[in-house]
Amino acid sequence: MSDFSEELIRSKTEDDQEESCVFSGTGMSFPWLQKYIGTVATGGKKEKDFAQTTNACLSFIQEALLKHRWQKAAEFMHSYFQILEDSDSHKRQAAPEISLQHALYLLHHGMLEDANRNLSHAETWRYGEKSSSQEVLINLIQAYKGLLQYYTWSKKKMELSTLDEDDYAYNTASQNMLNHSWKTSVNLCALIQTPGVWDPFVKSYVEMLEFYGDQDGAREVLTNYAYDEKFPSNPNAHIYLYNFLKREKAPREKLISVLKILYQIVPSHKLMLEFHRLLRKSEKEDHHKLGLEVLFGVLDFAGCTKNITAWKYLGKYLRQTLVGNHLAWVQEEWNSRKNWWPSFHFSSFWAKSDWKEDKALACEKALVAGILLGKGCRYFRFISKQDDQVLRKKIKRIKKSVKKHSIVNPGL
């Protein structure tokens, strides 16, 4: 280890003893980048001295940035690159990581021009052959440049919307937008073809493709992002594809097929109520059955227990399903829940709490409770006994529905 490296690490150790610095949520820290310093940069071979030195320097830079000690941060940045220049060819490849981290910090604080310069510097860093990991990192750096270009493009798009199409300024602004979109596309394209979760980059790219009328290109990008098995499972990929197809007024069957996958990943997503509506309108009986399953699935989650729309849909659909002679569908869903839904949703405590907080919600839940548990259900009994002038007629209708549709034998 060089004298400079030993001094740097020793200095950090002494500093730690004098002051305990806690990295809080007020700044930015990217530990996933640090692992590249000791491994990727050396082709997967950890070299302890080099890793210790660069990690120590990186920590100094982070601490200085978080404390707004800009001069100190600049000094340590200079030291970091000096270490890289003094090292062999493998180690020099680590330079883009710190530039990217610094750029992300600048982006977070709205210093866009400085961030762009930093990204350009990182993008052009070349020394020797790049590993596959280095190639991904360069693609990521270029993609962040693309996001900055997209930001400029978005501003120009807003300016364009205020101009008259016959105005000379409109043509100039339109050409500027086209130039920026081309640059952005080049920078984003390589990254989004690499397996990973690239939501903001994909959304930006697709927005531009749609703006210029390339619906086929946008559809291809979103379809690959959602269905390519090399990419990790990502709910947002299916949400983006669904919203795009919805804008295109795609057939109901196509929309159902996309939301069916989202349902398997996130059964409590807010789009599940929309999924239920699509299934309910379908002509297929298996879709009608799935529509009931989806509503029960949504209300299995604690975060959805106050969703009045879900309860309203379930009460209405339970009656519709039972009138359609599909008692077996209801029993199938209820049998797996009858041991825990009563205390989870329909206890005396929840009846009193719901009535106090939201009477409309309490009425919708009371109908479902009565259908599934009968007139003896504590929740139903409490709500049905309330004498509320505004809701008196509604409660009367609930009682009639429970008497007519409850799946519980009236004698029990």
Side-chain angles (χ1 to χ4, degrees):
M1 188 185 296
S2 67
D3 292 340
F4 174 78
S5 302
E6 291 178 357
E7 181 63 29
L8 182 62
I9 294 173
R10 182 166 59 253
S11 172
K12 176 167 176 57
T13 305
E14 291 170 357
D15 233 23
D16 288 343
Q17 292 173 348
E18 293 174 6
E19 178 182 7
S20 176
C21 176
V22 178
F23 290 90
S24 67
T26 57
M28 294 182 69
S29 179
F30 302 91
W32 59 273
L33 284 172
Q34 284 184 307
K35 69 180 181 182
Y36 283 101
I37 305 292
T39 55
V40 173
T42 57
K45 300 175 183 178
K46 292 188 178 181
E47 298 185 13
K48 188 176 179 181
D49 291 350
F50 178 75
Q52 284 182 334
T53 303
T54 52
N55 280 335
C57 196
L58 178 59
S59 296
F60 270 123
I61 295 167
Q62 288 178 317
E63 185 172 348
L65 289 173
L66 291 171
K67 293 183 176 180
H68 295 181
R69 296 176 180 173
W70 312 118
Q71 184 60 38
K72 279 289 183 185
E75 291 172 4
F76 285 122
M77 283 285 288
H78 177 75
S79 298
Y80 183 86
F81 286 110
Q82 181 185 335
I83 296 169
L84 294 172
E85 288 295 338
D86 291 342
S87 304
D88 65 34
S89 60
H90 289 294
K91 297 168 186 174
R92 295 185 193 193
Q93 293 180 15
E97 285 88 340
I98 185 64
S99 292
L100 177 58
Q101 181 164 4
H102 189 206
L104 292 175
Y105 176 84
L106 295 171
L107 281 172
H108 181 69
H109 288 276
M111 303 163 72
L112 304 185
E113 291 184 8
D114 291 337
N116 191 53
R117 281 194 293 271
N118 235 36
L119 290 169
S120 296
H121 176 75
E123 180 188 13
T124 56
W125 182 274
R126 294 288 187 273
Y127 195 94
E129 285 189 34
K130 297 190 300 293
S131 65
S132 59
S133 298
Q134 282 285 325
E135 189 66 43
V136 173
L137 184 66
I138 294 299
N139 288 342
L140 185 60
I141 289 168
Q142 291 171 339
Y144 271 105
K145 280 191 70 180
L147 276 188
L148 284 173
Q149 290 158 351
Y150 163 79
Y151 176 73
T152 303
W153 178 85
S154 295
K155 289 201 299 183
K156 291 185 180 298
K157 186 176 76 166
M158 290 181 64
E159 293 170 5
L160 195 67
S161 65
T162 65
L163 299 175
D164 190 319
E165 290 189 22
D166 297 326
D167 194 339
Y168 172 77
Y170 181 92
N171 293 327
T172 303
S174 181
Q175 186 59 47
N176 285 338
M177 278 184 63
L178 189 60
N179 292 338
H180 275 284
S181 67
W182 180 82
K183 292 177 184 177
T184 305
S185 298
V186 169
N187 281 324
L188 295 179
C189 210
L191 181 70
I192 64 176
Q193 292 176 11
T194 305
V197 177
W198 312 119
D199 293 351
F201 307 101
V202 170
K203 285 181 67 178
S204 302
Y205 188 41
V206 167
E207 182 184 339
M208 288 190 299
L209 290 174
E210 283 193 85
F211 182 83
Y212 291 108
D214 189 358
Q215 300 299 107
D216 292 339
R219 190 186 309 105
E220 182 180 357
V221 168
L222 291 171
T223 300
N224 290 341
Y225 193 51
Y227 295 133
D228 192 327
E229 293 182 355
K230 295 191 294 292
F231 283 74
S233 177
N234 177 11
N236 286 339
H238 302 281
I239 295 168
Y240 300 155
L241 178 59
Y242 172 76
N243 288 333
F244 172 80
L245 293 173
K246 190 177 175 182
R247 290 194 296 273
E248 275 202 315
K249 301 188 184 305
R252 186 188 301 132
E253 289 292 319
K254 185 64 177 176
L255 297 175
I256 286 174
S257 67
V258 176
L259 288 183
K260 193 171 184 178
I261 297 176
L262 180 62
Y263 169 63
Q264 293 165 356
I265 303 172
V266 190
S268 62
H269 194 275
K270 62 182 180 180
L271 279 175
M272 291 305 101
L273 295 182
E274 195 165 324
F275 184 35
H276 165 77
R277 292 196 296 270
L278 289 170
L279 292 167
R280 194 174 64 203
K281 293 175 183 177
S282 172
E283 296 177 359
K284 295 183 178 180
E285 190 172 88
D286 62 332
H287 283 170
H288 297 164
K289 184 175 185 295
L290 180 58
L292 183 65
E293 177 188 320
V294 167
L295 290 178
F296 272 102
V298 167
L299 292 167
D300 281 342
F301 291 83
C304 301
T305 57
K306 302 290 186 182
N307 190 323
I308 188 171
T309 304
W311 287 109
K312 187 179 295 185
Y313 281 4
L314 182 56
K316 181 179 179 180
Y317 205 58
L318 281 171
R319 286 179 295 181
Q320 183 178 327
T321 302
L322 292 167
V323 168
N325 295 317
H326 292 296
L327 174 62
W329 294 1
V330 178
Q331 290 176 328
E332 182 180 339
E333 296 301 324
W334 182 237
N335 285 339
S336 62
R337 294 173 172 86
K338 62 184 179 182
N339 291 329
W340 63 278
W341 261 43
S343 58
F344 186 62
H345 287 306
F346 305 133
S347 65
S348 297
F349 169 80
W350 284 122
K352 295 173 184 177
S353 175
D354 291 340
W355 183 258
K356 182 179 179 181
E357 293 179 12
D358 188 341
K359 291 181 173 60
L361 170 67
C363 288
E364 299 299 339
K365 286 183 66 174
L367 171 60
V368 175
I371 291 174
L372 296 174
L373 290 166
K375 294 187 296 183
C377 169
R378 293 176 181 178
Y379 195 103
F380 173 78
R381 280 189 302 174
F382 179 85
I383 302 302
S384 63
K385 290 178 181 178
Q386 301 306 308
D387 186 18
D388 185 278
Q389 188 174 356
V390 176
L391 294 171
R392 189 175 296 160
K393 290 183 179 180
K394 185 176 181 66
I395 292 174
K396 189 176 181 179
R397 288 196 300 270
I398 290 171
K399 289 178 182 179
K400 286 183 178 180
S401 289
V402 169
K403 184 178 182 180
K404 183 176 180 180
H405 299 295
S406 179
I407 65 173
V408 177
N409 188 324
L412 298 179

